[in-house]
Amino acid sequence: MKRLSGLLALWFFSPITVQANEEPVSLKEPIVIQSNETFNGEGKRFSSCEHPAFQLEGTGAVLENVEIEQCERTTVPAVLVVGLGHQVIDVTIEATGTGIAVENSYGVRLIRPNVTGKGEEEGISIEDSEAIVIKGAIVDHVRDGIYIENGTGHELTRPLVTNSRYGVHLMFPTDVSIVSPNLHNNETGAMVMGTERVRIENGQIYDQVGATGMGLMLFEAIETSIRANAIYGNRVGIYAEKSEWTTIHDNGVNGNDIGLRMKRANGMTLTGNDVTNNRYPVVSFEAADNVIVGNEWGGQTLDLTQDGQSEIPYRADPYLFLLADSYEAFELLYGAPGLTVLERVLRSPDEVTLTDVSPRATTFELKWQGTVGATVLSGLLILLWRFGRKQDDYL
């Protein structure tokens, strides 16, 4: 009892200490990290206004474990990287300008950067650089989450970008891989323009907002590979214009207003995709020399050869879409029996349709198992026999 009283007295009369947030260190000029130097901020906060908070130069500099906040109306980047083989690790930025800018660099690694902006500048900007690696980036409320202009050999792994214009914006780079992206609540998940050999795979790309609301947009993109992504809840799942040799395979493109929209997209290969439960699965304009086979569209199928592919081709006819595109009031009548009949009677021109010659078959199998199945089957045979006897009696 005495011991308990002593503990209570110690709890009541001991001074209480509160761990207050430390004021950020105000920087009058950039902290420059040069070749082979390491700056470990140990979680401290820094603020900067008219200049970058940190600047990496030379070769092999490392910046890690810092928090940065920028003054209002700052337009310069919070972290500026120029040179070879630098690393930026576990840096958190509250940005009004660009969060991290990498310029004329090679082999830079950005590991777990976290950038929150004001919707006016890029979260991460990569210009005229090569072999940049970005892993585990989290970017919110910026203009473009990750902006890449020119350069080659970039790798983006698990980027999470929300509430921005473009989640990822590529302008003219080559050989870019984007693996396991999570892009949602942006105006466009990823804008891929003027590129060659971009690969996007294993991503979650959903719920883009606004008038465009596109999951993926390809414009003049060459040899793009889109594989094993979940693309849903967008106005348009995948849009490709003036793009060639695009491979779209094994994706789930579901629950969008339009699953796929192609315009002058030639030499494409679409295979193994699930394009069901969209308002319109696909709209195609002036697309030629495309290989469309083995996708699931949700239409009628018939698999006579039991090879998993239907002998009934799937012809995507965007008649109602084109009608509503001209007269928006028709959108109120989607699903009405009259319009459904009209769609089957009035066909769209061939240049705006797309045909899957062997769509994935939807099968329904009825299997009899055990004594229950045998009993039911026997009952059916008895009914048929008795029905046949009655017919003979009448004769």
Side-chain angles (χ1 to χ4, degrees):
M1 187 67 179
K2 290 182 179 179
R3 184 177 180 183
L4 178 60
S5 300
L7 290 174
L8 290 173
L10 181 64
W11 185 76
F12 277 109
F13 295 105
S14 295
I16 299 175
T17 60
V18 178
Q19 188 69 34
N21 291 330
E22 295 182 1
E23 288 294 323
V25 177
S26 180
L27 300 175
K28 303 302 181 183
E29 59 184 19
I31 296 177
V32 178
I33 310 171
Q34 297 182 342
S35 296
N36 302 319
E37 294 180 347
T38 297
F39 186 99
N40 188 335
E42 299 179 347
K44 291 183 179 179
R45 293 177 64 85
F46 299 85
S47 68
S48 64
C49 294
E50 301 301 327
H51 52 78
F54 292 89
Q55 186 167 321
L56 282 66
E57 299 177 350
T59 303
V62 178
L63 170 65
E64 57 184 336
N65 298 324
V66 298
E67 297 183 17
I68 303 168
E69 61 181 42
Q70 291 186 296
C71 301
E72 293 294 331
R73 295 182 295 278
T74 298
T75 58
V76 298
V79 177
L80 177 61
V81 181
V82 180
L84 307 176
H86 301 309
Q87 296 188 73
V88 178
I89 305 171
D90 293 323
V91 171
T92 299
I93 302 170
E94 295 178 11
T96 55
T98 297
I100 302 174
V102 180
E103 301 175 356
N104 300 299
S105 297
Y106 181 91
V108 171
R109 295 169 58 86
L110 309 180
I111 310 300
R112 296 180 297 277
N114 189 325
V115 181
T116 302
K118 301 293 184 180
E120 297 177 357
E121 301 290 340
E122 276 67 53
I124 298 171
S125 175
I126 312 295
E127 295 189 19
D128 300 315
S129 299
E130 297 184 10
I132 307 303
V133 174
I134 304 174
K135 290 189 175 182
I138 299 176
V139 186
D140 179 65
H141 198 60
V142 297
R143 182 167 61 186
D144 295 342
I146 300 174
Y147 175 79
I148 299 179
E149 183 175 330
N150 300 323
T152 187
H154 305 305
E155 298 179 12
L156 282 61
T157 304
R158 299 187 308 280
L160 169 59
V161 185
T162 55
N163 302 308
S164 302
R165 183 183 66 161
Y166 300 144
V168 175
H169 188 183
L170 306 182
M171 292 283 287
F172 316 118
T174 61
D175 298 294
V176 178
S177 68
I178 305 173
V179 180
S180 301
N182 189 320
L183 311 172
H184 65 272
N185 291 98
N186 307 289
E187 293 181 20
T188 296
M191 170 65 167
V192 181
M193 180 176 177
T195 60
E196 294 183 22
R197 296 178 300 279
V198 170
R199 177 169 56 96
I200 303 173
E201 60 182 31
N202 296 319
Q204 297 283 324
I205 303 167
Y206 61 97
D207 292 345
Q208 316 309 323
V209 298
T212 55
M214 295 185 186
L216 299 176
M217 181 176 182
L218 313 181
F219 185 80
E220 296 183 347
I222 306 299
E223 293 187 63
T224 307
S225 174
I226 302 171
R227 186 187 72 85
N229 299 282
I231 303 172
Y232 57 93
N234 311 286
R235 183 175 179 275
V236 179
I238 301 174
Y239 178 83
E241 181 175 352
K242 296 182 180 179
S243 296
E244 296 183 338
W245 309 314
T246 303
T247 302
I248 302 173
H249 58 111
D250 301 318
N251 300 279
V253 185
N254 316 110
N256 307 281
D257 283 351
I258 303 171
L260 309 172
R261 182 165 183 168
M262 311 299 174
K263 185 175 181 180
R264 284 180 281 177
N266 303 320
M268 294 185 302
T269 300
L270 274 71
T271 182
N273 301 287
D274 181 347
V275 199
T276 58
N277 300 315
N278 301 286
R279 178 175 288 183
Y280 281 98
V282 59
V283 180
S284 177
F285 299 89
E286 302 176 20
D289 301 321
N290 297 312
V291 177
I292 318 294
V293 63
N295 302 283
E296 186 172 354
W297 306 95
Q300 295 178 346
T301 61
L302 179 62
D303 185 6
L304 297 176
T305 59
Q306 299 296 309
D307 62 354
Q309 294 184 335
S310 174
E311 277 67 51
I312 301 176
Y314 178 82
R315 184 179 189 270
D317 193 326
Y319 175 77
L320 287 186
F321 167 78
L322 297 174
L323 190 64
D325 200 39
S326 301
Y327 305 97
E328 294 183 0
F330 277 107
E331 289 194 7
L332 300 175
L333 301 177
Y334 279 135
L339 281 183
T340 302
V341 172
L342 191 62
E343 183 179 28
R344 294 184 178 277
V345 173
L346 300 177
R347 304 296 291 261
S348 302
D350 290 340
E351 61 266 21
V352 296
T353 62
L354 183 147
T355 301
D356 188 331
V357 294
S358 299
R360 187 186 304 169
T362 302
T363 59
F364 175 76
E365 296 183 3
L366 183 62
K367 295 182 179 179
W368 303 100
Q369 294 182 354
T371 57
V372 175
T375 303
V376 173
L377 183 59
S378 300
L380 289 174
L381 292 174
I382 292 171
L383 288 174
L384 290 173
W385 175 74
R386 294 194 62 179
F387 179 76
R389 286 198 58 185
K390 288 182 180 180
Q391 296 293 330
D392 291 341
D393 294 340
Y394 289 135
L395 295 174

